[in-house]
Amino acid sequence: MARKDGPTDRIVPQTGHTAWLTSFTAGVMVFLAVFALALSLAAGRLAERWQEALSNTATIRIAAPPDQMEFQTQAVLNVLATTPGVAEARALTDDEQQKLLAPWFGADLPVEDLPLPRLIEVTSAGQGFDAEGLRQRLSAEAPGAVLDDHGRWRQPLVVAAGRLRLLGQVSILLIGGAMAAMITLAAHAALSANAQVIRVLRLVGARDAYIARAFVRRFTLRALLGAGLGAIFGMLAVALLPGAETEGGFLTGLGFQGIEWAYPLALPIAAAVVAYVATRLAAFNRLRGLP
Amino acid sequence: MRLNPPQGLGKDATAQAAFRAVFHVRNTRPVIALEQVSYAYGPEPLLTDVNLTLAAGSFYFLTGPSGTGKSTFLKLCYGELKPTTGRVTIFDRNVKDMKRDELAIARRRMGVVHQDCQFLDHLPLATNVALPLTVAGRGNELDDLSALLAWVGLGGLADALPPTLSGGERQRAALARAVITSPDVLLADEPTGNLDWDMSQRLLALLVELNRMGKTILVATHDMNLIRAAKQQVNARVLRIRDKRLQAAGADL
Ligand SMILES: Nc1ncnc2c1ncn2[C@@H]1O[C@H](COP(=O)(O)OP(=O)(O)OP(=O)(O)O)[C@@H](O)[C@H]1O
Ligand SMILES: [Mg+2]
């Protein structure tokens, strides 16, 4: 495309304002696409984290008098061992329980002396287990055991986050489509405005590819320039958003993390490709109709 | 100079070939041929039943009153218009069968002086004149551009934009552009319309020179003096459009 042969760049007269419009359009579109990308990435992170919590874990809490604790814990583990859909069940040690509580009560909490419930971590497998059935069996075998399948209430949220991610991705595609449409219109306008130039070039023996290249080159470069600026401003705007809360926060925040900051840099290149294809199609379409 | 095998050789292919070899006659395949061509812009045909074989190395003039279709005829010859009926052949290829790129490549072998010149108005004259080489990827052959411009009397106007030139200057520039690729065929539509006699003579001298080099020339013109002057230098034939048909002009020319 960028083959250098003579005044390819100049054979089409410069038209100031349409040049600016193409860059502007590409810039705005990519600016918006950066947000759509951030949205879809953030939603993706959210969905993944919630999905993980949901698919893997449930907790069984056993609150029993100290003398029955050992017995009921064993009973619960026995029940779990014969429950379909349970991959692993494990009673947390005192040490682990202490670690869990440390953020709330400090590290030197005397766990042994407190009537703390025993926690059993259940990891589910495959489709998961039947929570209601398990609950009934537990109440029969170990009256102090309570199944806390806290993950369940997150199911709709996981779905919502997934949809949000999809929305972001579809938005990026739509923005790309809108940009292709606008650049096609701009290219057609430029081709119409330069009908006489095209006629002269044809008469002196220029091939369609040569003529098209002049337009394609120009529109691609304009789109790339605008899109580059759009991406920079979009990334700045994302960076200036209120900081994302750290792990565990309900909202992970709209933004990029780590390597994700490289992703929006691909948008100007995608915009240039869109401009290239759109202008090329428009040019060859138009040229085919000329003598 | 065109040499035809003497009639006596008849259709004897070996004898013809020997003649060509001895006299270095190029294979005179028609450069452009029109067979039973008609052309209509609207419902009424403008040209009908046009037949012409433009042999390599021939020199033709085309005359006829204004509006009879001289420019239209030339456009048929370089493929800007496709015949309504009949067949136009350029370098042995039917125009209707030629792909767009083939037509473009064929046009690189044809120099055309358009009646309305047809420049890129935003580019300086020198760039315009060089355009046929540039689009053909032969921009490196531009050494004698200034010599060519000087020859048509435009040495000082290389950087001028076409719209700022006089009619005659534009015509001279158009001629320079038409010959810059050293084309096999030169089609010129009223190339002397705005030129004084001296300049016309100079232009004619160039056409004669090109014809002697074996180029095929077709010039549409009203200028009877030019035709007379040419006939004294080359074997030029004169065609006329009359009653929508192409005829050989009378001996008065
Ligand atoms: N694009 C067009 N559409 C419709 N009619 C046309 C078109 N071009 C030419 N004509 C008509 O065809 C006729 C012949 O035009 P053409 O330009 O071939 O004439 P010409 O012999 O070159 O005339 P002149 O000597 O004035 O240059 C004219 O009556 C013109 O009005
Ligand atoms: Mg004319």
Side-chain angles (χ1 to χ4, degrees), chain B residues 1-252:
Chain B
M1 176 96 101
R2 224 167 73 84
L3 275 174
N4 280 320
Q7 295 293 314
L9 292 178
K11 291 207 185 303
D12 184 338
T14 327
Q16 294 230 1
F19 176 88
R20 288 178 198 288
V22 169
F23 293 97
H24 304 286
V25 177
R26 303 204 288 154
N27 192 8
T28 51
R29 296 201 61 86
V31 174
I32 297 171
L34 292 85
E35 296 164 66
Q36 300 293 315
V37 166
S38 74
Y39 190 83
Y41 285 107
E44 273 294 294
L46 176 67
L47 298 169
T48 57
D49 201 16
V50 171
N51 290 284
L52 177 71
T53 304
L54 220 57
S58 54
F59 198 131
Y60 280 97
F61 283 104
L62 174 63
T63 64
S66 175
T68 48
K70 297 184 296 298
S71 298
T72 305
F73 177 84
L74 288 180
K75 285 175 185 168
L76 288 165
C77 287
Y78 59 80
E80 186 177 10
L81 297 176
K82 306 257 160 99
T84 310
T85 62
R87 229 162 93 101
V88 174
T89 325
I90 300 177
F91 301 122
D92 284 328
R93 294 274 290 133
N94 186 339
V95 167
K96 280 194 172 149
D97 298 337
M98 287 170 103
K99 297 202 182 72
R100 295 176 58 75
D101 278 359
E102 286 178 293
L103 190 58
I105 303 299
R107 280 184 182 151
R108 295 178 186 177
R109 297 172 61 188
M110 315 169 102
V112 183
V113 179
H114 304 273
Q115 192 166 10
D116 43 4
C117 293
Q118 305 284 0
F119 291 117
L120 297 182
D121 288 344
H122 65 288
L123 292 179
L125 196 65
T127 312
N128 266 289
V129 169
L131 204 56
L133 286 178
T134 314
V135 301
R138 292 167 56 191
N140 52 334
E141 295 172 31
L142 276 176
D143 324 329
D144 37 10
L145 177 61
S146 50
L148 179 62
L149 285 177
W151 192 86
V152 291
L154 297 174
L157 291 172
D159 295 325
L161 291 179
T164 66
L165 300 179
S166 77
E169 286 164 344
R170 288 165 63 83
Q171 274 184 331
R172 283 180 272 153
L175 182 77
R177 186 182 68 182
V179 299
I180 195 163
T181 53
S182 184
D184 294 335
V185 196
L186 185 73
L187 304 172
D189 198 349
E190 303 280 4
T192 58
N194 294 307
L195 299 185
D196 57 61
W197 181 243
D198 277 355
M199 194 44 92
S200 310
Q201 288 303 299
R202 221 157 131 180
L203 182 142
L204 178 63
L206 172 69
L207 297 181
V208 168
E209 184 59 35
L210 289 170
N211 184 239
R212 290 199 171 125
M213 290 162 60
K215 317 283 186 193
T216 312
I217 315 271
L218 173 57
V219 182
T221 183
H222 286 121
D223 190 344
M224 294 305 155
N225 291 326
L226 185 75
I227 296 177
R228 281 189 206 100
K231 289 190 96 172
Q232 302 188 340
Q233 304 170 50
V234 284
N235 175 20
R237 271 168 283 187
V238 185
L239 304 167
R240 172 157 56 202
I241 297 177
R242 177 178 280 176
D243 299 333
K244 306 179 182 184
R245 283 158 211 275
L246 192 66
Q247 318 174 323
D252 51 315

Side-chain angles (χ1 to χ4, degrees), chain A residues 123-216:
Chain A
T123 312
S124 56
Q127 297 297 311
F129 49 83
D130 167 19
E132 214 34 59
L134 180 60
R135 232 172 239 130
Q136 283 171 12
R137 288 178 65 198
L138 284 177
S139 62
E141 306 276 335
V146 177
L147 171 64
D148 178 10
D149 60 341
H150 49 74
R152 297 289 155 199
W153 64 268
R154 285 181 169 169
Q155 180 66 49
L157 287 182
V158 171
V159 173
R163 292 280 153 77
L164 208 55
R165 169 167 56 180
L166 187 66
L167 186 70
Q169 288 163 348
V170 169
S171 299
I172 293 174
L173 289 183
L174 288 177
I175 288 169
M179 192 168 73
M182 290 205 195
I183 289 179
T184 301
L185 285 177
H188 271 291
L191 288 158
S192 297
N194 290 298
Q196 174 61 12
V197 170
I198 293 171
R199 175 154 187 263
V200 171
L201 289 171
R202 285 285 301 164
L203 288 175
V204 297
R207 299 194 302 136
D208 283 354
Y210 181 90
I211 302 171
R213 193 157 61 227
F215 288 93
V216 168

Side-chain angles (χ1 to χ4, degrees), chain A residues 3-271:
Chain A
R3 209 181 88 208
K4 194 72 204 145
D5 50 358
T8 323
D9 294 342
R10 291 182 296 129
I11 56 171
V12 180
Q14 292 285 350
T15 43
H17 66 286
T18 56
W20 192 81
L21 280 179
T22 306
S23 297
F24 178 74
T25 305
V28 170
M29 291 297 180
V30 167
F31 183 81
L32 295 176
V34 170
F35 280 92
L37 184 64
L39 174 72
S40 89
L41 288 174
R45 282 196 301 269
L46 212 57
E48 223 164 79
R49 189 181 311 155
W50 284 344
Q51 181 63 50
E52 211 170 293
L54 181 131
S55 59
N56 285 340
T57 58
T59 316
I60 292 173
R61 205 162 7 98
I62 304 166
D67 55 323
Q68 281 187 36
M69 189 60 99
E70 201 56 37
F71 173 77
Q72 288 210 14
T73 303
Q74 200 50 51
V76 168
L77 287 173
N78 287 342
V79 167
L80 288 171
T82 57
T83 305
V86 171
E88 200 193 326
R90 193 176 63 84
L92 296 188
T93 63
D94 285 347
D95 258 11
E96 286 171 322
Q97 299 222 75
Q98 173 143 29
K99 269 198 198 103
L100 280 178
L101 294 173
W104 313 98
F105 300 109
D108 37 311
L109 181 71
V111 182
E112 309 81 38
D113 305 341
L114 286 172
L116 285 177
R118 170 67 58 199
L119 294 178
I120 294 178
E121 192 182 79
V122 183
T123 312
S124 56
Q127 297 297 311
F129 49 83
D130 167 19
E132 214 34 59
L134 180 60
R135 232 172 239 130
Q136 283 171 12
R137 288 178 65 198
L138 284 177
S139 62
E141 306 276 335
V146 177
L147 171 64
D148 178 10
D149 60 341
H150 49 74
R152 297 289 155 199
W153 64 268
R154 285 181 169 169
Q155 180 66 49
L157 287 182
V158 171
V159 173
R163 292 280 153 77
L164 208 55
R165 169 167 56 180
L166 187 66
L167 186 70
Q169 288 163 348
V170 169
S171 299
I172 293 174
L173 289 183
L174 288 177
I175 288 169
M179 192 168 73
M182 290 205 195
I183 289 179
T184 301
L185 285 177
H188 271 291
L191 288 158
S192 297
N194 290 298
Q196 174 61 12
V197 170
I198 293 171
R199 175 154 187 263
V200 171
L201 289 171
R202 285 285 301 164
L203 288 175
V204 297
R207 299 194 302 136
D208 283 354
Y210 181 90
I211 302 171
R213 193 157 61 227
F215 288 93
V216 168
R217 231 183 105 82
R218 180 168 298 181
F219 276 90
T220 304
L221 291 177
R222 284 175 190 169
L224 185 63
L225 176 76
L229 290 174
I232 289 171
F233 282 114
M235 287 165 77
L236 276 178
V238 168
L240 293 177
L241 282 178
E245 281 178 48
T246 42
E247 285 280 42
F250 178 71
L251 277 176
T252 52
L254 197 60
F256 301 107
Q257 289 180 3
I259 185 72
E260 287 176 359
W261 280 103
Y263 295 2
L265 297 177
L267 290 173
I269 294 171

